[in-house]
Structure formats: C-alpha cells, structure tokens
Amino acid sequence: MTQVIAVHSFRGGTGKSNLTANIAATMARQGKRVGIIDTDIQSPGIHVLFGLNEAKINYSLNDYLWERCNIKDAVHDVSYILTTGDTDVINGKLYLIPSSIKAGDIARVLREGYDVVRLNDGFQELSRCLNLDYLLIDTHPGLNEETLLSIGISNILVVILRPDSQDFQGTAVTIDVARKLKVPKMLLVVNKVLSAFDFADLQKQIETTYQASVAGILPLSEEMVQLGSKEIFCLRYPEHPINQTIIGIVEQIADAA
Ligand SMILES: Nc1ncnc2c1ncn2[C@@H]1O[C@H](COP(=O)(O)OP(=O)(O)OP(=O)(O)O)[C@@H](O)[C@H]1O
Ligand SMILES: [Mg+2]
C-alpha cells in the first residue's frame, strides 16, 4: 500500500520543497517508487529543483483539476536525475506532478478555487497506477482547504519549522489541527538551525513542547543557500553530512509506515 506523506509548515520558506525533493530522491535511490505532487498551486516551485520549466511541463495538476486531462497525463518521470555516477544502478523511480507556472492558471485558481474531492481522487489514482511506495505531497504554507485535505488523508505528516518564535506558534496550530484530523503519525523536522546551537538540547525542547518526535535537525547551510534550489542537494553533494540527517528522516518515515 502507498504511504502518503504530507510535508507542511505553517509559515512559508521553511524548506518544505527542498526537503520533499531530498527525501524523495533519497527514497528512490534506495530503490523505492516515489511520487511527488505539488499542491502549492498558488505559488508552485518544486519543479525548479528538477530542472523543469514552463516549456518542459506538458500537462500540470491544474489541467487535471480542471478536467482537461487524466492525472496520468500530468506525471513527469524525473528518475533520470537520480544517477550521480557512471556506475550507478538505480532501481527506484521518481515521478513529479507539477503545478502550473502560467500566470493565467494561477490567477484562475485564486479566483475560482478547485474541487478538493477531485484532488483526493487524483492522489488515489496516482498511487494505484504508478504502483507507488510513497506519495509525497508538497504543500502551500498555512492552513487552507487543500492543505487540510492533504494533512487529513496522509499516513504521515512531516511538519517543518525553523527555530523562530513565529514558526513555534504556527506549528502549535498545525499540530493541533493534525491531531483533530487524527493523522496516524507526525514527525517534526527543524530546519535552518545555526551550527552554534546545541542540537540535542533543541530536540529535547521541541519534543517536550509539542509532544511529537523530531525526525531530524538540519543546519542552516551555506552550500544550500548557494545551490539556490537549482538542484537537489543530496544528489549534488552526496558525501555531505546533511545527507546523513536526510537518510535518518527517511528511516524514521519507513519505521512509521
Ligand atoms: N537548511 C537550509 N540551509 C540553507 N538554506 C536552506 C535550507 N533549507 C532550505 N533553504 C533555502 O530556503 C529557501 C526556501 O526553501 P523552500 O523553497 O524549500 O521552502 P518552502 O517551505 O517550500 O517555501 P514556500 O513556503 O514558499 O513553498 C530556498 O532558497 C532554499 O534553498
Ligand atoms: Mg515550497
């Protein structure tokens, strides 16, 4: 059965899209069949990490939601990015369902919204027809109808936060909502933490505050800033220590599944 994993944060710019792409690429390199769906229809972005642009996106999630195509037509097989060396043999698969980057399409979503029931049907259909081990949902920050749906149907919710008082307060709201929606498993990831912090102490504090497990703490990384979402960090710098933390998060997702 496909495990549905929603990656969410109450506030924007916490690192959802980058973390989603890194988790998905790590899983696929380990041989899993992984899909990513970009439900951030108002401000899509994860396609950039996979080198997709408007010209390369044939059908998007928007086309499916507006009944212009089947969900399968909006699937982009991006498994080719997984190979980091000539001798690499990758058995996993990585698929991306991007949202439209066309201004008119974004304006239409803001004006008219869309049918969340059809979105949910799309999740089910994708899981089935691509025979996925994991379906990762990259979300829009904050709580709106589609993020509530994504949270509500997920087997595992990954909530990202930075060590920032605004994030702390917003995360409490997200966790409260997720508990009311009876999400089976919740994992926290703290991102952009200054290296000078005591990571073990921060983990203890956050776990005590939210009564939820911290799956990983990622440092604020100059290399990641420099990479600027042009590529997927774990594929660009496979030997970087940050990847051990990402592998740890993937292991905890697998354990929770
Ligand atoms: N650990 C990190 N260290 C440094 N920069 C990071 C780190 N994680 C993410 N970033 C950078 O932060 C910015 C925002 O990341 P990203 O787009 O993944 O966040 P997001 O939560 O998806 O944002 P949005 O809410 O707008 O969708 C990007 O420039 C990314 O490169
Ligand atoms: Mg994003």
Side-chain angles (χ1 to χ4, degrees):
M1 208 189 78
T2 306
Q3 293 294 314
V4 179
I5 300 157
V7 181
H8 187 63
S9 64
F10 188 81
R11 295 185 43 80
T14 49
K16 293 179 292 300
S17 300
N18 275 269
L19 183 70
T20 303
N22 277 283
I23 289 175
T26 301
M27 288 168 160
R29 278 185 59 82
Q30 291 174 353
K32 301 294 184 204
R33 298 177 64 82
V34 185
I36 301 175
I37 185 160
D38 188 0
T39 64
D40 190 355
I41 301 189
Q42 293 93 328
S43 48
I46 197 166
H47 59 276
V48 176
L49 284 106
F50 295 90
L52 295 184
N53 55 27
E54 195 177 328
K56 291 182 189 161
I57 297 174
N58 198 359
Y59 285 111
S60 64
L61 179 62
N62 306 57
D63 295 306
Y64 164 72
L65 292 171
W66 295 326
E67 300 186 23
R68 292 176 185 154
C69 70
N70 294 317
I71 191 74
K72 272 192 286 188
D73 303 324
V75 174
H76 294 65
D77 187 344
V78 289
S79 309
Y80 56 86
I81 64 153
L82 296 169
T83 314
T84 56
D86 292 344
T87 54
D88 255 4
V89 180
I90 308 291
N91 294 319
K93 280 294 210 179
L94 187 52
Y95 302 102
L96 177 69
I97 297 85
S99 271
S100 173
I101 197 65
K102 292 179 191 153
D105 287 349
I106 296 172
R108 181 172 165 190
V109 165
L110 295 175
R111 207 171 49 238
E112 297 174 18
Y114 60 85
D115 180 3
V116 289
V117 175
R118 188 164 164 85
L119 179 63
N120 190 25
D121 291 346
F123 293 161
Q124 310 302 329
E125 172 71 6
L126 276 175
S127 306
R128 197 186 52 74
C129 72
L130 298 175
N131 193 18
L132 297 176
D133 295 303
Y134 294 105
L135 176 64
L136 282 96
I137 308 173
D138 187 19
T139 62
H140 187 66
L143 295 169
N144 57 28
E145 204 180 355
E146 64 270 14
T147 49
L148 287 177
L149 170 84
S150 304
I151 291 174
I153 62 146
S154 60
N155 303 101
I156 302 169
L157 171 65
V158 176
V159 181
I160 309 187
L161 67 155
R162 293 163 294 202
D164 178 290
S165 296
Q166 297 189 60
D167 287 34
F168 288 151
Q169 198 173 71
T171 299
V173 177
T174 303
I175 290 179
D176 195 26
V177 167
R179 292 215 163 104
K180 289 195 170 109
L181 292 172
K182 300 201 177 349
V183 175
K185 180 78 189 180
M186 205 160 18
L187 294 170
L188 304 179
V189 173
V190 194
N191 193 22
K192 303 192 182 184
V193 179
L194 284 180
S195 306
F197 277 42
D198 180 335
F199 281 25
D201 192 48
L202 182 64
Q203 171 158 1
K204 218 183 293 168
Q205 268 182 39
I206 290 186
E207 288 183 337
T208 308
T209 305
Y210 299 110
Q211 292 298 304
S213 307
V214 171
I217 299 184
L218 293 158
L220 181 72
S221 149
E222 262 187 47
E223 291 102 320
M224 208 177 269
V225 174
Q226 210 158 24
L227 196 58
S229 301
K230 280 200 212 64
E231 289 173 63
I232 297 168
F233 191 85
C234 68
L235 301 175
R236 179 72 174 76
Y237 300 110
E239 307 302 330
H240 197 285
I242 282 184
N243 295 327
Q244 286 311 314
T245 308
I246 292 167
I247 289 169
I249 295 168
V250 167
E251 280 168 2
Q252 289 183 64
I253 289 173
D255 289 349

